[in-house]
Amino acid sequence: MPTRGERNFFRLPDFAARMYESLVSMNAIRLQHREIAERLTRRIQRGRLLDIGTGPGMLLREVHCLNPEIELFGLDISDAMVALAWKRLSDIPVDLRAGNIRKTDYANDYFDLVTCTGSFYLWDEPAAGLNEVHRILKPGCKAVLFESYRDFDKTALRQALRKNLQGEPWMRRMISPYFLMKQLRITYTVEETARIVRQSRFAHTFKIETILLANLPMWMCITLSKNDHEPS
Ligand SMILES: C[S@@+](CC[C@H](N)C(=O)[O-])C[C@H]1O[C@@H](n2cnc3c(N)ncnc32)[C@H](O)[C@@H]1O
């Protein structure tokens, strides 16, 4: 049976990838990617960074703007998203590949930092995906995943969202909350996320914090360390 990522994104038509991009082309999402890029560039000054489920590559651009020394890699299950990312990132050096994180062709111990934003909840066999992250991560290095969670505070989120959407065209103010809530309904809770990580090779070396991104109280930062016994 097709899984979430395969059902929703594998055969995504080009126009749907462009629609996704237009939906997320707003100041609050730009700020969210900028804040994530700041967190990532505080962790490494150079080396290889992989963004899983990179979509149109907005996060990779933000990382490049903050530190052009970092070598950028993007992976996405959708050919249409990868094609769009190639277009959007044509002016910066980047390695983009179509593929499923469940099994990639990157070498063992290859990346200095692995990340993803709003993609983990779509992975088929998420624990197997985390094991693949473990394989391609250099020993001593970390993966830092940013993911929304389902057990968020509804009132706090609605208030923050209303603020973030101020100044956006009315059409966006109407449809963005609808799509966001639709997404949040199928994300994992914090506890479900921890349960999945415990089934992976990061079982003893992970930390999950709830954080604000662009002031929205709906984000988890999942830190996974490659070395056993290493504190996250
Ligand atoms: C909601 S979009 C997020 C895109 C981007 N990270 C952003 O913040 O705008 C989720 C992305 O994850 C990708 N994806 C879903 N399952 C995947 C998998 N198993 N392996 C790689 N990418 C996957 C989808 O194709 C899609 O582009």
Side-chain angles (χ1 to χ4, degrees), residues 60-228:
L60 292 176
R61 174 167 294 286
E62 289 296 338
V63 171
H64 179 78
C65 289
L66 291 177
N67 184 346
E69 296 290 308
I70 296 175
E71 287 172 62
L72 300 176
F73 295 74
L75 177 78
D76 202 289
I77 199 171
S78 154
D79 288 339
M81 285 292 194
V82 173
L84 192 57
W86 273 122
K87 272 193 203 149
R88 298 299 180 246
L89 302 176
S90 60
D91 57 331
I92 66 175
V94 63
D95 176 320
L96 297 168
R97 297 185 194 180
N100 189 329
I101 186 55
R102 193 171 39 184
K103 190 173 184 327
T104 70
D105 52 12
Y106 301 116
N108 291 346
D109 306 338
Y110 192 63
F111 290 105
D112 298 272
L113 184 59
V114 173
T115 191
C116 93
T117 304
S119 174
F120 173 75
Y121 78 102
L122 295 164
W123 297 358
D124 21 70
E125 299 175 52
L130 293 180
N131 286 342
E132 180 67 359
V133 171
H134 191 278
R135 184 187 70 76
I136 61 183
L137 197 57
K138 287 183 185 171
C141 291
K142 292 186 197 309
V144 187
L145 316 183
F146 297 88
E147 197 59 39
S148 51
Y149 57 93
R150 198 171 74 241
D151 43 341
F152 60 91
D153 176 333
K154 287 197 176 62
T155 314
L157 180 65
R158 285 222 167 81
Q159 279 169 3
L161 193 57
R162 212 168 303 131
K163 242 188 190 164
N164 279 4
L165 289 168
Q166 272 170 13
E168 294 291 342
W170 74 267
M171 185 67 161
R172 200 187 286 286
R173 291 205 305 273
M174 302 301 289
I175 60 174
S176 293
Y178 168 79
F179 281 109
L180 181 63
M181 295 304 162
K182 195 166 176 256
Q183 171 195 322
L184 287 171
R185 273 198 292 277
I186 60 166
T187 55
Y188 300 113
T189 65
V190 175
E191 187 41 46
E192 285 166 350
T193 307
R195 221 176 297 142
I196 293 167
V197 181
R198 279 191 216 105
Q199 292 162 19
S200 78
R201 296 193 63 186
F202 293 107
H204 304 293
T205 55
F206 78 95
K207 184 167 82 182
I208 302 180
E209 299 160 273
T210 56
I211 59 166
L212 298 181
L213 288 175
N215 283 322
L216 293 184
M218 52 170 249
W219 288 99
M220 287 181 276
C221 176
I222 308 161
T223 308
L224 311 164
S225 303
K226 168 119 177 194
N227 285 350
D228 292 350

Side-chain angles (χ1 to χ4, degrees), residues 1-8 10 124:
M1 195 168 71
T3 54
R4 284 176 173 185
E6 286 164 349
R7 211 171 32 234
N8 297 326
F10 187 46
D124 21 70

